[in-house]
Every structure is written in C-alpha cells, then in structure tokens.
Amino acid sequence: MNNFQTILVAIFLAFFVFAVLIFSGILKIGGTSNKANTPQGKIVIWGTFNDPNIFKVFDDTRDANKELTISYVIKKESDYQQDLIEAFATGKGPDLFFITPDMVQKDSDFIYKIPYASYPEKTFRDSFIDGSSVYLDNDGVIGFPVVVDPIVLYYNKDILSNEGIVQPPQYWDELFNLVSQLTKKKDDGTILQSMIALGRFDNITHAKDILATLLLQNGNPIIASNGKGGYTSVLSDNSSSKPTSSIEAVLNFFTEFSNPTLPAYSWNRALPNSIDAFTGGKSAFYIGSASELFKIQSVNPNLSFDVTQALQTRGTNTKRTYGKIYALAVNKKSSNLTTAFSVAGILTTGDSAKNLAIAVSLPPASKALLADKPTDPYLFTFFNSAIITRTWLDPDSVGSDSVFSELIQNIISNKLSLDNAISKAQTQLEFLTKK
C-alpha cells in the first residue's frame, strides 16, 4: 500500500469512528455546537506500557484537541488485573484500559461492546490483522487493536556459522537435522551447549506460548466459543479426522527434546532459564517475543544474534505464530463515554496508532500501517510476524500456566499416559472457562 492509499484509509477510519459515535447514539448532533461534538473532558487510561515515549502520544492527542485532557496511569503487570477489578468494583475504573486476550473473559462485565450495527464486523476485519478477531463476539467489538507482540525465533549467528550453517531453519522438523551439530555434551551426557529450549515447562521462558504456537499452527484454537455467549476448551480435539490429534502430535514433538534417550535431546532441568542460556551464549536458538529484543541487547551487548519468524509446521498452507495483541477497551461505566470512545478511535488509527506503536517499540495491529514496511531488519521481521500472529482466549493466564505445566510434567515423568494427561488438562481448562 502506498502513502496515498494509507492516508485515504486513515481518513476513512477517522470519519468512520465519527459515524459510529453518531449512529450508536453516543454522539448527539443537531441543536448543539461543533464544540460539543469534539473530544472534551478528562480521560484516564490504564496500561502496563512503561516507555516514557508513550506520554508524548497522549500529549499530542490532547494538543490536537484543546478541550481534552488525557492521563495515563502505568500499572505493574503483576498487579494490573487485580487493580482493575478493585477499581471497577468501587466505581473508580479508568475510562480506557489496555487489554490482552487473556483479559477478555475476566473483564467482559466491565467492557462497553460496540454493536455491529454501529461498527460492522467487516470494517473491523478489513482494518486490523486477522488475529484480532478474538476481540469480536456475538455482542460486538470488545476492543480496538493497537499493537502486536509476536513470538519470533532469535538465533546466535556465531554458533551457527561455527558449524557451517548459513541460514536458520524455517520448519520445526529441521531441528532434528541440526541437533547433533548444535547440542554439545560431555561424555557423561551433561549439556554444555543447547540447540534449543523445548520439552519442559519450568525453565523455558515462553513454554506455554510455544505450545500455543504449535497448537495454533496445527489448527487447534485451544479455547472456542460455545455458541451461547460463553467459551469452551477444545484442547482435546478428539473429533479430528486425523489418526493423531493436533494436541497429541504437538506434545509428542515438544517432549522429544527433553528425553535423554532420544536423538533430539537438547534440554533438561539442570540448565538455566532459556533466555539466560541464550544471552549467555549457551543456546543456538531462543523462542521469545519481539518485546524482548532490547532486553537481549542490554544483557549481552557483545552477543552476535539475529531474529527471524517463528518456526513453522511443514505441510500447512498458512504461516502462524502466537502473540499478544493489545487492544484499547472502553469502560462501560465511564463518566465520559462519548469522549472515551472517540479517544480510543483516534489512538488506533492513522498517525496516532503509528506513533503509539513506535513509542512501545512493537508492530501495529493496523493492516494499513503494517503495509508500510520499516527498513530496520529487526522491525521488518516483527512486522511480518505481526501479520501472521494468532492468539487464543486464555481464560486465566495464571491458571492455564499451571494446567500446561502439569500437562508437560505428567508426560515427561510418565506419571500419566498421554491420553490421560491430555484429558486431565482438557478438564482443567474447561473449569477455568467457567470461573
């Protein structure tokens, strides 16, 4: 998309937001001054983004609308959900708040959902990446997508070049051909250098995200709508026509890398956390998030590394990776609902959306903005990864961590058979969707 087309899309979206405000009845016209139809009053936004550059985006939005005041409150990620619940319970919640898909079910009672009669589903799908569809439900639009934090593959260039490997792998099954070159062991089996951190949960930074990537690539959405306004677990996809279900195939593959009796053995519990192994130069590959780029650079400035898209499942027709998709949600009890809605529209379209993405150093969720590829090689990869990002409606991020951790432990310890381990995890996830 060229610059002219991008400008047209931005103009269209701006007018569309205005139209939504009118036709939804939030914004009144006729008999009022133009001043009454412009964003005005005080808007409080909560989120966990702590880059100081984000304040300039809000300041610029305020400066363009002289009657508007925007206050952004940074919250600790560990306390964010609880802080929101307590604030909503006491009527002191923010007007707008950043959400991720794992917050959709928990906060559904607090979110103003925009009906499709006012904001057509097709307009949403045409405007934002396909993975953003998690913010659509039977009642309308749950949130306006802002930025994407996709799972990518970091790799140590020195380790690969030392072994004569020119390019990083593109497919998961290529790892089997590389493990003997890239995993170094002592005679007693002690791992000195790992190819990749797979197979366990406790010391792998993004173990659940890696499993989600594999499942989504194999067509398993993990959680799905039950058609009654709620959700259900589809982790155990027994209805699959394939001889082996997607969850069985994923778990068989994943756990191979922690089994010392198999050729793929590359990881064990004695090794450090996966990101520490990579930044310490002791791991050839690291499956991490785009947002970790600066952390990796700061921990070890001398590390020679690069990044590419997440490994893919061979034989599938489409590329996929898991990622967090951040969106702005409107508090249904906001005392200034009109302006809150308007500000959400402004911040997720055009230059405001672009500047917000730059401020938090993540690719935008807007298709129009993603079409304008950056020249920076890291960002180029992140933009392309954002386009193929999918996610899932995690009902409880802490609870599901425990579910997947127990699932992996039950398999690698032989505590339960594969079928029984999957069945137990399915039941546990289903319980989380009902909490």
Side-chain angles (χ1 to χ4, degrees):
M1 183 179 292
N2 58 38
N3 290 336
F4 179 70
Q5 290 174 309
T6 301
I7 292 170
L8 283 180
V9 170
I11 292 172
F12 167 77
L13 289 174
F15 277 108
F16 187 83
V17 169
F18 182 73
V20 169
L21 292 172
I22 294 174
F23 290 114
S24 64
I26 293 176
L27 187 62
K28 305 297 183 183
I29 58 174
T32 59
S33 66
N34 289 334
K35 180 179 178 181
N37 291 337
T38 59
Q40 55 186 296
K42 182 178 181 180
I43 293 297
V44 177
I45 304 175
W46 282 15
T48 58
F49 295 114
N50 59 10
D51 193 305
N53 292 322
I54 197 171
F55 289 98
K56 186 179 185 307
V57 179
F58 300 137
D59 289 344
D60 289 344
T61 303
R62 178 203 61 201
D63 292 343
N65 301 273
K66 299 301 183 181
E67 304 297 322
L68 178 66
T69 300
I70 298 178
S71 298
Y72 176 61
V73 180
I74 300 173
K75 291 289 181 177
K76 290 183 179 179
E77 191 167 347
S78 58
D79 302 330
Y80 186 42
Q81 181 59 51
Q82 187 59 37
D83 286 350
L84 281 170
I85 291 174
E86 293 175 0
F88 289 135
T90 58
K92 298 178 181 179
D95 301 285
L96 293 170
F97 56 106
F98 285 98
I99 61 171
T100 46
D102 59 302
M103 298 171 65
V104 168
Q105 294 185 50
K106 288 183 178 181
D107 298 319
S108 61
D109 291 339
F110 313 122
I111 297 173
Y112 173 77
K113 297 178 183 178
I114 306 153
Y116 293 125
S118 301
Y119 196 152
E121 180 179 345
K122 178 169 174 52
T123 301
F124 182 97
R125 293 185 182 277
D126 287 347
S127 303
F128 303 106
I129 60 170
D130 293 344
S132 297
S133 62
V134 293
Y135 292 117
L136 302 174
D137 74 0
N138 294 337
D139 299 323
V141 177
I142 298 167
F144 290 95
V146 185
V147 292
V148 188
D149 190 7
I151 288 295
V152 293
L153 181 69
Y154 293 94
Y155 60 96
N156 186 308
K157 295 196 293 184
D158 286 341
I159 290 179
L160 265 61
S161 62
N162 288 344
E163 300 299 327
I165 300 170
V166 178
Q167 297 289 343
Q170 298 182 53
Y171 300 99
W172 293 104
D173 60 13
E174 292 181 74
L175 295 176
F176 295 126
N177 299 325
L178 297 174
V179 65
S180 61
Q181 291 175 271
L182 298 176
T183 298
K184 307 296 184 181
K185 307 172 189 173
K186 288 184 179 179
D187 292 339
D188 63 1
T190 301
I191 295 177
L192 299 174
Q193 174 184 289
S194 170
M195 174 182 65
I196 196 168
L198 291 171
R200 297 189 63 84
F201 200 95
D202 48 355
N203 60 347
I204 298 180
T205 306
H206 292 281
K208 184 172 70 174
D209 299 342
I210 296 168
L211 289 167
T213 298
L214 285 161
L215 287 166
L216 292 167
Q217 287 177 354
N218 281 271
N220 188 322
I222 310 173
I223 299 292
S225 170
N226 62 8
K228 302 176 183 178
Y231 302 93
T232 186
S233 170
V234 292
L235 182 69
S236 177
D237 53 346
N238 292 326
S239 61
S240 172
S241 60
K242 298 178 182 178
T244 303
S245 68
S246 62
I247 182 64
E248 291 174 338
V250 164
L251 292 173
N252 282 330
F253 170 81
F254 183 81
T255 55
E256 276 195 59
F257 295 87
S258 64
N259 189 334
T261 66
L262 296 177
Y265 179 54
S266 183
W267 195 256
N268 60 39
R269 63 181 180 181
L271 293 168
N273 190 278
S274 57
I275 191 170
D276 294 332
F278 184 75
T279 56
K282 299 299 183 181
S283 180
F285 302 116
Y286 172 64
I287 302 173
S289 60
S291 59
E292 291 177 296
L293 172 65
F294 297 134
K295 178 180 179 179
I296 293 172
Q297 290 176 326
S298 63
V299 169
N300 187 352
N302 297 317
L303 186 68
S304 177
F305 75 95
D306 208 337
V307 62
T308 188
Q309 287 187 24
L311 294 165
Q312 299 296 310
T313 299
R314 194 185 296 274
T316 57
N317 296 324
T318 52
K319 289 184 177 182
R320 293 282 185 271
T321 189
Y322 165 80
K324 282 187 178 181
I325 302 174
Y326 291 84
L328 269 175
V330 180
N331 176 8
K332 65 165 57 173
K333 295 294 181 65
S334 169
S335 60
N336 197 352
L337 191 62
T338 302
T339 299
F341 188 95
S342 182
V343 170
I346 292 170
L347 291 174
T348 54
T349 57
D351 286 342
S352 294
K354 179 179 180 179
N355 292 334
L356 186 55
I358 293 172
V360 300
S361 302
L362 287 173
S366 162
K367 286 182 178 179
L369 295 177
L370 286 171
D372 186 13
K373 295 291 194 303
T375 56
D376 179 90
Y378 293 131
L379 286 177
F380 185 85
T381 296
F382 296 159
F383 268 52
N384 285 332
S385 296
I387 295 170
I388 63 170
T389 291
R390 300 294 186 274
T391 189
W392 65 290
L393 289 167
D394 190 341
D396 181 336
S397 59
V398 175
S400 62
D401 274 352
S402 297
V403 171
F404 280 101
S405 176
E406 184 178 350
L407 171 61
I408 297 302
Q409 187 58 35
N410 284 335
I411 295 171
I412 62 179
S413 67
N414 292 314
K415 184 177 180 180
L416 294 177
S417 67
L418 181 61
D419 285 345
N420 288 338
I422 294 171
S423 178
K424 184 174 184 179
Q426 163 76 11
T427 301
Q428 291 172 322
L429 269 186
E430 186 66 26
F431 173 76
L432 291 178
T433 66
K434 302 299 187 290
K435 287 180 65 177

